[in-house]
Amino acid sequence: MSDSTPLLEMRDIRVKLPSGLEIVRGVDLVAEAGKVVGVVGESGSGKSVTVRAALGLMPSSSTLTGSIRFRGEELANAPQRRLRQLRGSKIGLVFQDPMTALNPVITVGNLIAEAVRLHNPGMSWRKARLRAVELLDMVSVPQPEVRIDQYVHEFSGGMRQRAMIAMAVANNPDILVADEPTTALDVTVQAQIMEVIKGLQQKFSMGLILITHDLGVIAGVADTVVVMYSGKVVETGPVRQLFYASRHPYTRGLLSCLPTIVGDGGKLQPIPGSPPLLSARPSGCPFHPRCALAQDLCRTSEPPLREVDRLQTACHFAETLRDGQFHPVPSPKGQP
């Protein structure tokens, strides 16, 4: 594999349920070594399903189409045996809720040691336990030589997430997928967890795919951002460009929900309404029922992604959207 080849490249990913309902609709995503991709959107936007498709962890009986290439190897509909070889060794996954993802009747040390030995069958339990201590220390768990003999319920929420991260990086994966890793944690612990993840990502030059609904988290760590809504990508591009010059009303709505101490008295500006049910997706642009700037065209035609000002944006009026309003494009000189 050449240096220019992405670690993970997903093209036109579509996931369809047995009922025929398409829950992921033509998503593209690229992850590179040493880079962070943030995938954001409200609950139900298809973030987790899209990324888990690369690991073969889709809803049962669902159908996957499109291309998923890991280091040039096609993984779409690959045998489960091959996917199991990659999961945990080359691709690590941090689940959203460690309390339900970790086995409560096995000590934390044995959980991590098992993850190590699964991909290193020749390693003894003694060496695997020493590796578990090393990993817990790496993710800043205090007294790791004592903690390895404790159970999940004896760990705090932040400590459980650190143990989950230790398992995910146990075999030095090329890519780490973190699915809402700071959900249900207080702000201080969130910052600590993100510091751990970012530190490990930089130390091992891993590619990192960070799934979250929190653009505040994305702002501090991501290189590129993928914004999803109703199962598809509505905007993507470099993080600074997206934050300061977004051309999609949905992205602007997410940004307006971030707390601020300047402008409008510090009041939050929530997006009106709720995301549509996937089984009752509206015609045209799926965001138009909640968009204050929607026009007749938005209600009848779904816009494709196209490049506007270094961003890929799916909005009919992306070229004229600035400062949260549409600004008509001036006519050439001498024309009405």
Side-chain angles (χ1 to χ4, degrees), residues 88-89 113-124 128 131 170-171:
S89 61
E114 184 178 49
V116 174
R117 293 186 75 243
L118 182 65
H119 297 283
N120 300 275
M123 181 180 288
S124 67
R131 174 63 174 161
N171 296 292

Side-chain angles (χ1 to χ4, degrees), residues 299-313:
R299 301 180 181 93
T300 58
S301 174
E302 186 168 15
L305 274 174
R306 64 185 191 281
E307 186 167 351
V308 180
D309 195 17
R310 295 180 61 210
L311 296 170
Q312 292 287 327
T313 304

Side-chain angles (χ1 to χ4, degrees), residues 158 162 181-197 212-214 216-217:
R162 291 170 192 265
T182 59
T183 297
L185 300 176
D186 64 55
V187 176
T188 303
V189 177
Q190 283 185 13
Q192 293 171 353
I193 293 299
M194 288 311 306
E195 185 178 348
V196 168
I197 292 175
T212 182
H213 61 272
D214 190 342
V217 171

